[in-house]
């Protein structure tokens, strides 16, 4: 959408992506943790991936205000 209408018009979509993408990454990694734990496989690489996704989620100090403005949840 940014390519076709520009950043100002796509502002709400950008805000939604900033909230939803890190949350979804943490959720997917968590699902994988559970599956690998059942198979008793080492989880160290996933721990690094989860820490990275969590850092991205927390690094944006405006996440709470973006979630409020765009109707998302954090």
């Amino acid at each position: 959408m940014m390519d076709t209408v520009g950043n100002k018009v796509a502002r709400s979509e950008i805000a939604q992506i900033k909230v939803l993408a890190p949350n979804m990454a943490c959720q997917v990694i968590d699902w994988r943790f559970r599956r690998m734990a059942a198979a008793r496989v080492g989880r160290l690489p996933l721990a690094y991936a989860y820490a990275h996704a969590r850092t991205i989620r927390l690094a944006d100090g405006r996440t709470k205000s973006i979630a409020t403005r765009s109707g998302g949840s954090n």
Side-chain angles (χ1 to χ4, degrees):
M1 181 154 194
M2 290 172 32
D3 294 336
T4 58
V5 295
N7 293 350
K8 289 185 181 182
V9 177
R11 186 180 207 169
S12 65
E13 285 80 8
I14 293 169
Q16 290 173 10
I17 290 168
K18 288 181 88 172
V19 172
L20 296 176
N23 288 342
M24 181 56 73
C26 286
Q27 184 177 12
V28 169
I29 294 168
D30 186 49
W31 289 336
R32 188 63 182 159
F33 264 135
R34 293 178 192 184
R35 185 175 180 111
M36 289 181 78
R40 298 179 188 255
V41 178
R43 297 182 289 176
L44 192 58
L46 282 179
Y48 288 128
Y50 187 83
H52 182 69
R54 180 85 173 140
T55 301
I56 291 171
R57 194 167 100 181
L58 296 175
D60 186 10
R62 303 176 309 160
T63 301
K64 195 72 155 180
S65 62
I66 291 170
T68 303
R69 281 185 295 177
S70 65
S73 63
N74 190 11

